[in-house]
Amino acid sequence: MTWISRARRPLVAGLLAMTLVGVGAACGGGSGDGDQDQTLRVGVPIRMLSVDPHGTAISDRSTLTLALHLFDPLVASDGGEITGRLAESWENVNDTTTRFTLRQGVTFHDGSPLTSADVKASLDRLFAASTALAPLFATIEEVKAPDEQTVEVITSRATGSLLTNLSMAYIGSKAQIESGEIESRPVGTGAFKLEDFRSGERAHMVANESYWDGAPKYERLEFQEISEDAARLTALRTGEIDVTYSLPPDQLSQVRGFDEVTVESGPSATFYVIWLNNARKPLDDPKVRQALWHAVDFSSIQENLFGESAVLAQAPVPQPVFGAAQLPGYTYDPQRARQLLAEAGYPNGFSTSIQWSANCCANIRPLVQSILSAWKEVGVNVEMQEKEAGQWLDDLLALDWDMNIQDGVVVTQDAEFVLGRLYTCAAKRLGYCNEEYDRVIADASEELDPQERQRKLQRAQEILWADAPGAWPFELTASAAWRDRVSGFGPPPTNVPDFRGVSLN
């Protein structure tokens, strides 16, 4: 379902707004005259870290957004549907070898031609890096470039998600990789060329008129980091930016009241999850974990805190994602929660703590308070620990926490992206280990038939849902807002917005 709101400004107010926008443009912001100004200005809600397509920040959504516009992968994935990008075609030579044929005539922003040597150098660099995406490429053993237009990817075993995973592998220039320039001044094959980048501040790009897939319909693309919600929405209202996304749920109605602004929301691949440290007592007991889920009325929380910005989750991955299961929810049943706690040896409850990043997430503090209030009713007392983002991440990876609440996104829109990276015994992300789960997800990973692979992914989710190593309360809806001069844009389901097909009126 999609929700749309549009309002028009009276003529006099419009003239006044144009005057204000003109002042903003003179100061380096603002939309200016829509008939002449061919710059799309985007308000980015999270920190912009890097333009390196293979660096440690590549799993960050802002870095992925910049990479999407500067580079191209071999293939793209949309909910499990694979389309060619730099690869014109591909074939399975056998279960462990996939051969790609590159498009003819593709050039980098500096005019140099794309060859298989660039692809091999890029993939080798990405696969060797210790990033959050590394598990996606764990089965890849070798990349070969037998001629200038051919690339072969060889895996240690059949890998059903290979093409989906390669959609996250952006291709840069071999010369830049060898010189190190790709880290800060990269040239790609993408729809836009990098003009200026300042981490934590801005990224300015110009249209690539020679783009192999057709030049963009406007001249400049400027990303401006505005992490404070009120400032970002004010910039949208006054015309200092043309578009923004990931709108705060409690301000959607306010944005709908903005003149000459369109607001849309719809399903997404983003979700909330409460991880429980399965390596610590009493959270090592499935009954305790199930009790915590039964103790909270997530339906009421969704209605009161999120409204249309979230729906109750039906699986550990959101419904728009390939392979998502549809499972019966944990009913709100405090009496059942108390019974399970008693059976686990905690009739009087216990004390623990929960942590989250200061940079996370929509309605995070009132959400945590609501959950903790429900847990207290069944005897579970929880200390709140909000942490600076860097410290939170360090503690998360070191398993130095009891409970952890965060949002996540299935950026490949394939269930294996989270199921295979986060919940296996080898992952060691939340102290959870179930050998049956590992067998099922490994089997799904090697399955090349899409329908059979989907069935196996759903079976893996059934195991997680029953074991409750965490709780998956909500799927978040995607939201975005843009001024009327913008067309061809919609809410990004993965929070990685694509402005390549936008036009300015």
Side-chain angles (χ1 to χ4, degrees):
M1 180 179 293
T2 299
W3 301 272
I4 303 177
S5 174
R6 183 185 295 269
R8 296 286 179 184
R9 173 176 295 168
L11 178 59
V12 174
L15 293 173
L16 175 60
M18 288 175 64
T19 301
L20 291 173
V21 170
V23 172
C27 297
S31 301
D33 188 331
D35 293 331
Q36 299 178 8
D37 183 9
Q38 287 298 298
T39 298
L40 177 66
R41 297 175 175 87
V42 180
V44 180
I46 57 177
R47 185 171 178 82
M48 291 189 291
L49 298 174
S50 174
V51 287
D52 186 344
H54 315 133
T56 56
I58 187 54
S59 61
D60 179 82
R61 293 170 218 171
S62 66
T63 304
L64 286 170
T65 298
L66 301 182
L68 177 67
H69 295 85
L70 295 171
F71 303 92
D72 292 298
L74 288 173
V75 295
S77 174
D78 183 6
E81 182 179 349
I82 304 299
T83 56
R85 300 302 291 167
L86 294 181
E88 186 174 58
S89 62
W90 55 93
E91 61 175 328
N92 292 328
V93 178
N94 52 54
D95 284 353
T96 59
T97 301
T98 304
R99 180 179 295 147
F100 299 87
T101 300
L102 301 183
R103 293 184 185 276
Q104 297 278 352
V106 177
T107 60
F108 286 99
H109 298 152
D110 62 1
S112 59
L114 169 77
T115 72
S116 59
D118 300 300
V119 177
K120 174 174 169 53
S122 298
L123 297 184
D124 284 346
R125 180 173 183 250
L126 177 61
F127 301 163
S130 297
T131 72
L133 297 185
L136 297 181
F137 311 115
T139 65
I140 295 177
E141 290 193 329
E142 186 179 6
V143 179
K144 293 182 178 180
D147 60 57
E148 286 196 346
Q149 295 302 121
T150 305
V151 176
E152 293 182 349
V153 177
I154 301 168
T155 57
S156 59
R157 56 173 172 77
T159 305
S161 61
L162 177 64
L163 294 178
T164 299
N165 295 343
L166 285 175
S167 72
M168 304 292 295
Y170 289 96
I171 306 305
S173 156
K174 179 183 178 182
Q176 278 211 320
I177 290 172
E178 292 175 345
S179 70
E181 290 181 283
I182 195 169
E183 297 178 12
S184 58
R185 299 291 300 177
V187 296
T189 61
F192 290 88
K193 306 176 184 180
L194 183 66
E195 180 183 77
D196 178 45
F197 174 68
R198 298 186 184 182
S199 180
E201 184 178 339
R202 71 188 188 212
H204 289 178
M205 304 178 186
V206 296
N208 178 8
E209 298 297 334
S210 302
Y211 187 44
W212 63 268
D213 200 24
K217 299 174 183 178
Y218 55 99
E219 297 172 1
R220 294 178 58 82
L221 175 59
E222 297 183 356
F223 295 94
Q224 179 181 352
E225 182 181 314
I226 314 176
S227 56
E228 206 279 318
D229 289 334
R232 187 161 46 97
L233 298 184
T234 297
L236 177 68
R237 180 176 56 82
T238 61
E240 292 178 32
I241 60 173
D242 300 301
V243 59
T244 190
Y245 52 99
S246 295
L247 303 177
D250 58 345
Q251 297 187 44
L252 272 175
S253 59
Q254 174 192 342
V255 182
R256 285 202 172 88
F258 291 175
D259 294 328
E260 297 187 4
V261 168
T262 294
V263 180
E264 289 190 12
S265 299
S268 84
T270 306
F271 59 97
Y272 254 123
V273 62
I274 306 167
W275 275 1
L276 308 174
N277 192 335
N278 290 217
R280 290 187 177 180
K281 291 184 177 298
L283 301 173
D284 61 334
D285 191 323
K287 290 185 176 181
V288 170
R289 303 193 298 261
Q290 293 162 1
L292 293 173
W293 206 333
H294 279 298
V296 183
D297 187 354
F298 284 115
S299 180
S300 292
I301 293 175
Q302 177 268 325
E303 181 178 349
N304 294 326
L305 283 184
F306 292 93
E308 69 187 54
S309 297
V311 296
L312 292 178
Q314 300 179 66
V317 297
Q319 292 305 299
V321 169
F322 173 82
Q326 291 185 336
L327 304 171
Y330 276 67
T331 57
Y332 171 52
D333 190 342
Q335 184 58 39
R336 175 61 176 157
R338 294 187 186 94
Q339 179 183 344
L340 286 167
L341 288 173
E343 291 176 3
Y346 299 93
N348 299 317
F350 58 93
S351 296
T352 186
S353 64
I354 190 169
Q355 73 166 28
W356 68 92
S357 166
N359 287 358
C360 177
C361 315
N363 283 349
I364 182 64
R365 182 169 283 273
L367 172 60
V368 172
Q369 290 171 335
S370 298
I371 294 171
L372 267 56
S373 176
W375 282 342
K376 188 173 183 178
E377 290 296 315
V378 297
V380 178
N381 296 291
V382 185
E383 176 190 357
M384 298 170 61
Q385 297 178 347
E386 181 178 275
K387 297 185 177 181
E388 182 273 331
Q391 185 62 54
W392 168 82
L393 182 58
D394 288 345
D395 291 345
L396 176 70
L397 297 178
L399 271 177
D400 187 13
W401 47 275
D402 295 321
M403 302 180 183
N404 188 85
I405 187 166
Q406 59 190 302
D407 63 356
V409 59
V410 189
V411 291
T412 63
Q413 299 186 61
D414 185 295
E416 194 178 331
F417 178 75
V418 292
L419 299 179
R421 283 191 317 125
L422 303 178
Y423 301 109
T424 62
C425 297
K428 298 180 180 178
R429 296 299 294 272
L430 64 164
Y432 174 69
C433 181
N434 181 318
E435 292 182 358
E436 180 189 3
Y437 176 84
D438 276 16
R439 285 193 297 271
V440 172
I441 199 64
D443 196 21
S445 178
E446 295 183 28
E447 180 59 61
L448 299 179
D449 178 77
Q451 289 187 330
E452 187 63 16
R453 181 167 171 263
Q454 183 172 37
R455 186 189 68 78
K456 292 174 180 178
L457 289 172
Q458 291 171 344
R459 172 58 187 147
Q461 291 165 78
E462 292 173 359
I463 296 171
L464 279 185
W465 202 252
D467 275 357
W472 297 269
F474 308 121
E475 297 176 13
L476 301 176
T477 56
S479 61
W482 56 92
R483 299 193 64 79
D484 285 352
R485 68 188 296 259
V486 176
S487 59
F489 181 68
T494 62
N495 275 339
V496 179
D498 185 353
F499 300 104
R500 294 173 298 180
V502 165
S503 59
L504 300 178
N505 305 320

